[in-house]
Amino acid sequence: MADLWQNSMDHAVAAARRAGQVVRQALQDDRKVMTKSSSVDLVTQTDQRVEQLIIHSVKEKFPTHRFIGEESVAAGEPCVLTDDPTWIIDPIDGTTNFVHAFPFVAVSIGFSVNKQVEFGVVYSCLEDKMFTARRGRGAFCNGEPLQVSDQTDIKQSIIATEFGSSRDPEAVDKIFSSLRNVLHIPIHGVRGAGTAAVNMCLVASGCVEAYYETGIHVWDVAAGSLIVSEAGGVLMDTEGGEVDLMSRRIVAANSRTIAERIIREIDSFSPTRDDALSPSNQ
Ligand code: IPD
C-alpha cells in the first residue's frame, strides 16, 4: 500500500540536507549570538534563517500543514499540537555547540498526525549522518538499519544526559543529584553530545544505553523519539509511564529494564510545559 506520508518524508530529508549545508557554511562566517530565555539560551541568525528556509519550502509543497518551530515559538507563535499534519522543527539542535564550533550540530524535523509522530529526520550535519525513521518501518542512518544496544546490565552501560540551559538553582540541584545517583549505580560512564537529537540517535545506534533529560522541548525530541522506538528502544517519562512530548521530560533507552532503573535515580522536576509556554517564560 502506498505510504501516505512518503512525499512529506522525502521533502523533510531534502530540506534537512539543504539546511545542513547552510549550517556548515555559516560555521565559516562570523556568528552573531543573541539570547532568549536566559544568558545561556543562545540563538543565532542561522537558527532563524534555517527555520524559515524549511518552513517556506514545506508551505510551498504542503500548504495545509502546520508547524511548531523552535524560533517561531520564541517569536510568539503558539506551541500547540493538533491532529493536523504538523512539522516540528529544530533548525539547529545544539546551538551552543554551533556557536562554539563544537562538532555536533543537528537539524531535527519530526512530523506528527493525530498527535502521533509519523516520521523523524535528524541530520547530524557536521558528521554528515542522516538519521531517519518512519513509523512501523524501522530506523536508519545513511540508509543502514539501526538497532539499540542489547545490554541489560546497567552497570555495563553508558548513559547520555545534558545540563540544559536553565540556571534556576533548584533545577541545577536536581540535575546534579540525579547525575550523582546515576554515577553511583555505578555505570561505565556519562556522555553528552550537546544536542538532544544526536543523543537520541546515539541510543538508536547502540552506542549508549540511554539518554535522559528534563528541560528539553518538543522540537528537540520529536524526531529522535521515533528514531529510538523504531530502532527497538523505549521512551518513558522521568517519573515512569508514557512519555508526553510536551512535558519537557524524557528517558529514551534500549529497553524498559534500563529505562526503569534510571528512573529510580532521577530526582524529577517539572518545567513549564511547552504547550503552556509564552515568549516570557521559555
Ligand atoms: C538544546 C540541546 C541541548 C539540551 C537542551 C536543548 P537547542 O537544544 O538539545 O542538548 O540540553 O535542553 O534545549 O537549544 O540547541 O536547540
Side-chain angles (χ1 to χ4, degrees):
M1 196 178 78
D3 182 345
L4 187 57
W5 305 117
Q6 189 60 47
N7 274 346
S8 303
M9 183 163 171
D10 292 345
H11 189 81
V13 171
R17 210 178 279 290
R18 277 196 304 273
Q21 277 166 7
V22 175
V23 172
R24 282 194 298 267
Q25 178 57 46
L27 270 175
Q28 314 300 320
D29 306 335
D30 264 358
R31 295 181 292 286
K32 185 171 175 285
V33 183
M34 298 162 281
T35 59
K36 295 192 286 188
S37 61
S38 74
S39 62
V40 296
D41 185 8
L42 310 182
V43 61
T44 68
Q45 285 169 344
T46 309
D47 297 67
Q48 295 164 339
R49 186 172 156 223
V50 167
E51 183 162 315
Q52 283 313 310
L53 281 176
I54 298 172
I55 290 179
H56 283 144
S57 76
V58 175
K59 274 186 176 164
E60 269 181 21
K61 211 156 177 206
F62 308 103
T64 60
H65 290 186
R66 290 172 172 254
F67 301 91
I68 294 176
E70 174 171 16
E71 307 316 334
S72 310
V73 173
E77 293 285 325
C79 183
V80 179
L81 201 53
T82 67
D83 286 344
D84 295 335
T86 304
W87 295 64
I88 306 170
I89 302 165
D90 189 341
I92 300 185
D93 189 43
T95 301
T96 306
N97 286 357
F98 171 71
V99 166
H100 293 269
F102 190 84
F104 298 97
V105 175
V107 179
S108 176
I109 304 177
F111 178 80
S112 85
V113 183
N114 297 325
K115 302 190 183 73
Q116 185 170 43
V117 181
E118 285 290 340
F119 65 75
V121 172
V122 170
Y123 182 42
S124 182
C125 53
L126 305 185
E127 304 180 281
D128 192 22
K129 287 186 176 172
M130 181 68 76
F131 294 90
T132 56
R134 172 76 182 91
R135 192 164 63 84
R137 300 189 182 194
F140 300 85
C141 176
N142 292 345
E144 294 296 319
L146 295 176
Q147 179 65 46
V148 293
S149 140
D150 60 5
Q151 182 56 256
T152 52
D153 181 358
I154 187 94
K155 292 185 176 171
Q156 309 287 322
S157 65
I158 290 185
I159 306 301
T161 191
E162 299 285 340
F163 301 105
S165 57
S166 168
R167 295 298 179 265
D168 168 61
E170 199 192 333
V172 172
D173 281 352
K174 287 189 179 270
I175 288 167
F176 273 91
S177 80
S178 305
L179 187 58
R180 192 184 53 237
N181 295 346
V182 168
L183 274 171
H184 277 167
I185 289 174
I187 56 170
H188 276 178
V190 172
R191 299 287 184 273
T195 119
V198 169
N199 287 328
M200 295 180 86
C201 291
L202 289 170
V203 175
S205 305
C207 308
V208 306
E209 274 62 37
Y211 157 69
Y212 72 90
E213 187 172 349
T214 299
I216 36 77
H217 295 278
V218 61
W219 45 80
D220 299 315
V221 294
S225 64
L226 190 69
I227 293 170
V228 168
S229 57
E230 287 296 322
V234 300
L235 301 159
M236 293 183 78
D237 178 65
T238 54
E239 288 185 0
E242 254 183 56
V243 76
D244 169 351
L245 291 181
M246 287 286 172
S247 73
R248 304 184 60 193
R249 315 194 309 187
I250 199 159
V251 178
N254 65 340
S255 63
R256 201 177 171 90
T257 313
I258 295 280
E260 285 176 342
R261 182 65 190 84
I262 289 165
I263 288 165
R264 269 167 52 197
E265 306 302 341
I266 294 179
D267 197 355
S268 83
F269 61 104
S270 305
T272 308
R273 293 175 56 84
D274 274 334
D275 44 14
L277 283 178
S278 67
S280 61
N281 66 6
Q282 271 179 56

